[in-house]
Amino acid sequence: MRDNGQPLPVAAADPMHVHPVAIRKMSWETDDTFSLQLDLREFGESFHFRPGQFNMLYVFGVGESAISICSDPAKPKSLVHTIHRVGTVTSALAHMKRGDVIGIRGPSGSFWPVDPAVGKDVCIIAGGIGLAPLRPLLYSLLRNRKSYGRIVIMYGARTPLDLLYRVELEEWRKLENVEVLVTVDRGDSSWKGHIGVVTSLFSYLKLDSRSTIAYVCGPEMMMKFTLEELERRGIAEHQIYLSMERNMKCAVGFCGHCQFGPTFICKDGPVFMLPHVRQLLDRKEL
Ligand SMILES: Cc1cc2nc3c(=O)[nH]c(=O)nc-3n(C[C@H](O)[C@H](O)[C@H](O)COP(=O)(O)OP(=O)(O)OC[C@H]3O[C@@H](n4cnc5c(N)ncnc54)[C@H](O)[C@@H]3O)c2cc1C
């Protein structure tokens, strides 16, 4: 698949090889979500990724987690991951500071294809941490802005304090022919914006069903309702891409942990065109 002339992803020769990398910067995005910028100088020119791909981040002596790359693919040496602290590995990562060393394996998995969106409108729909893997896609689209029509970003978080990348959301909002719609499940006294689940934002939009490509990432329940809404608006299933961020272990299709029939989420996904994973959405992960 072509991808707007971007370099092909280049992973380590051995996908099981863990590369030690130092943390260049650690910053908190919200109370429970932080970003780690990694120092990839050791990789020289050899590390490239595409929007939607992920790395396995390894805390030595603790374990490994799949985490999407959320930085600009055009700047592969400044690699950023935004991480929601939920359990063992992500809590250990949350204790990291500048100069600490972690391991990475990657980049792994499929990516958001941008070619189908050339000459079309784009609708990016994110829930919670799902905005992280969509951010590199947005950087790519904006870098080749003239190739695409209208860009709509719909983003929902639990509360105003859970919103990621607030400064950038405001910057994107100012761009011509870019619409940013933000909602929260629960407001607070300072919140003047929309309250409701992300699908409630559809009532503010009129999408051109024949000319819109949609990219969706978030909790599976949010994605299910979003897909229903997109299809109700006439967007065909081959115009919809989603990322299935299910629990996985080896990330290279060896262990079968994320296997559903012939499909391995880790190597065939996480990004899929809707018809390829529709049945998976009705099946709980193991
Ligand atoms: C392709 C991919 C990309 C991802 N990108 C990101 C990202 O950019 N940022 C981010 O914060 N997280 C991301 N995740 C989720 C992340 O991998 C898990 O949250 C993490 O592995 C949890 O590890 P832990 O040791 O902290 O939690 P554990 O102690 O293993 O588990 C804590 C709880 O989280 C649940 N859990 C673990 N992994 C997942 C998962 N994948 N989905 C749902 N529930 C899970 C467990 O069942 C348990 O209930 C991604 C997952 C995948 C598969």
Side-chain angles (χ1 to χ4, degrees):
M1 202 175 329
R2 285 194 309 114
D3 190 29
N4 235 356
Q6 290 180 63
L8 285 167
V10 179
D14 175 358
M16 297 307 283
H17 185 88
V18 177
H19 290 263
V21 290
I23 291 168
R24 194 184 287 169
K25 191 175 166 201
M26 181 326 169
S27 51
W28 285 92
E29 304 280 355
T30 70
D31 278 356
D32 58 10
T33 302
F34 56 97
S35 290
L36 291 181
Q37 187 181 351
L38 302 177
D39 193 339
L40 281 206
R41 279 174 296 192
E42 187 227 333
F43 281 82
E45 294 301 317
S46 68
F47 190 95
H48 294 288
F49 68 95
R50 284 180 169 182
Q53 289 198 295
F54 65 94
N55 281 319
M56 296 302 288
L57 300 191
Y58 185 32
V59 183
F60 298 111
V62 178
E64 218 181 20
S65 275
I67 303 290
S68 306
I69 305 170
C70 66
S71 46
D72 188 344
K75 299 174 186 165
K77 282 190 185 168
S78 172
L79 197 68
V80 184
H81 299 80
T82 296
I83 304 162
H84 184 203
R85 183 181 54 195
V86 290
T88 315
V89 175
T90 50
S91 297
L93 287 167
H95 284 101
M96 294 285 158
K97 54 186 188 316
R98 183 185 158 89
D100 286 347
V101 174
I102 61 170
I104 72 166
R105 287 196 290 128
S108 297
S110 59
F111 46 88
W112 303 110
V114 292
D115 283 351
V118 171
K120 304 245 169 60
D121 293 344
V122 172
C123 189
I124 290 175
I125 310 167
I129 193 77
L131 186 58
L134 285 162
R135 190 169 70 159
L137 169 70
L138 195 55
Y139 290 142
S140 290
L141 299 175
L142 293 176
R143 178 156 288 111
N144 298 288
R145 184 67 192 91
K146 291 203 176 93
S147 301
Y148 313 100
R150 171 191 188 204
I151 297 180
V152 176
I153 303 160
M154 295 162 72
Y155 173 44
R158 283 171 302 181
T159 73
L161 294 177
D162 293 312
L163 289 169
L164 296 176
Y165 316 137
R166 286 155 179 251
V167 174
E168 276 183 302
L169 285 169
E170 288 313 312
E171 286 168 2
W172 295 330
R173 197 191 293 280
K174 288 180 203 144
L175 299 175
E176 199 184 326
N177 213 9
V178 175
E179 287 152 76
V180 178
L181 304 177
V182 176
T183 185
V184 293
D185 295 344
R186 295 184 304 281
D188 60 20
S189 54
S190 68
W191 180 249
K192 305 275 184 287
H194 186 79
I195 296 179
V197 292
V198 81
T199 45
S200 62
L201 293 172
F202 276 102
S203 59
Y204 295 95
L205 282 176
K206 203 162 163 41
L207 298 174
D208 177 348
S209 58
R210 278 171 308 165
S211 177
T212 297
I213 302 295
Y215 301 94
V216 186
C217 188
E220 286 197 19
M221 195 53 80
M222 167 261 168
M223 292 207 288
K224 272 187 85 163
F225 286 112
T226 300
L227 302 173
E228 280 176 23
E229 202 63 51
L230 285 167
E231 292 194 295
R232 197 171 299 138
R233 270 145 217 280
I235 308 218
E237 57 178 9
H238 67 270
Q239 293 166 242
I240 303 174
Y241 295 87
L242 65 157
S243 185
M244 301 280 291
E245 307 217 320
R246 289 199 171 178
N247 218 334
M248 59 178 64
K249 292 286 176 217
C250 76
V252 287
F254 289 164
C255 75
H257 191 85
C258 65
Q259 184 177 2
F260 290 85
T263 306
F264 289 76
I265 305 278
C266 64
K267 75 176 171 65
D268 302 318
V271 175
F272 294 94
M273 191 196 269
L274 174 57
H276 300 155
V277 280
R278 193 184 279 284
Q279 287 171 338
L280 267 184
L281 284 168
D282 294 325
R283 292 174 55 181
K284 283 213 166 97
E285 64 185 306
L286 303 175

